Structures are given as structure tokens and as C-alpha cells.
Amino acid sequence: MSLLSALFLMAAATQPASGSPPAQGEHVAIQASDLDRSATFYREAFGLRQIRTPLANRRWFDLGHDFALHILDGRTAPKPSNINEHLAIHVDDLATVTRWLDAQRRPWTDLAGKARTMQTRFDGVRQIYTQDPDGYWLEVSDSRGVATKP
């Protein structure tokens, strides 16, 4: 098989069979042991805008680009702690978030787990890791830390 034929087959394999556009994310759902406590955390720590829902046992938040965070009630068991399973969010100013976390006595670290340490990613963006009230890991990146392009 020629290289051109192989590339054509790979390109065809990545296109949806129906000819429709590729799938896009809509929301991610997590389960909370205290719905209002979790909603307050996401609203106050990150300034997320709450979306109205007709369901009393849910809180929805806008994550931008037609993507949402759905918080469901009913968690009864602790969330297993695995930093590699995390929600990544982008904020305007990471220092504002870390000040809020400090004021609330909530821990935050770099990826290696070093307390109160902000790291810089390979692309120049600053970031931290923290956990929500139910133990879900969050990677929080800072738009002010974006490296300038040459």
C-alpha cells in the first residue's frame, strides 16, 4: 500500500460515517454529597455562572463554549482520589483563585503535590491543582500566564 493510500484511509476513518460534523462536548456530571456546598464552591472559587434547571436535585454551571458542569446530588461514598482524573478549567486570574482557596483554608498544589505551589506548564501557562468538597480533582490554569508568541 502506498503512503498516499494509507493517508487517505486514515483520513476517511476519522470522518463520521453519516457525514455529519464530529461530536462535541455538552456537559460533564459529578455527584455531590451536599449539593449546595458544592454549588457554592464552584460559584465562589471560580466565578462560574449558574444555569437555570427545572430539576431541584441538580445545579448546572456554564463552563463556556456550550459546555456545562452538572452537579448531581446523592453521593454517599468518598470519591477515590486520583489526580490524573480531573476537570481542567481556565480562569482569568489564578492569583484570585489561590487567595480564595487560602481564605477558605482549602489546599492547593502543583501536579507533584507540593503545597501552595503554582507551576508553569511547558507552554507558559501557570496552573494549580485542588479538590472540590467531594474530592474531585481540578486543574486550574491562568490566562494571564499564557506565554507571548514570538
Side-chain angles (χ1 to χ4, degrees), residues 6-28:
L7 290 173
F8 175 76
L9 288 175
M10 287 189 324
T14 62
Q15 298 298 318
S18 66
S20 63
Q24 295 181 352
E26 178 185 272
H27 73 267
V28 61

Side-chain angles (χ1 to χ4, degrees), residues 39-84:
T40 298
F41 171 80
Y42 283 96
R43 187 176 43 254
E44 290 183 0
F46 309 113
L48 295 183
R49 183 182 63 81
Q50 194 162 338
I51 302 168
R52 291 182 191 249
T53 174
L55 306 171
N57 61 344
R58 308 272 194 274
R59 300 292 182 273
W60 295 352
F61 289 92
D62 182 7
L63 291 174
H65 305 287
D66 297 320
F67 197 72
L69 170 64
H70 290 185
I71 304 174
L72 317 176
D73 68 353
R75 175 168 289 287
T76 57
K79 168 81 176 85
S81 182
N82 180 350
I83 198 168
N84 291 316

Side-chain angles (χ1 to χ4, degrees), residues 65-107:
H65 305 287
D66 297 320
F67 197 72
L69 170 64
H70 290 185
I71 304 174
L72 317 176
D73 68 353
R75 175 168 289 287
T76 57
K79 168 81 176 85
S81 182
N82 180 350
I83 198 168
N84 291 316
E85 296 176 10
H86 60 265
L87 172 64
I89 60 176
H90 198 79
V91 297
D92 181 52
D93 184 8
L94 194 52
T96 300
V97 173
T98 57
R99 278 193 301 275
W100 186 89
L101 292 169
D102 287 343
Q104 302 299 312
R105 300 188 193 287
R106 299 201 58 85

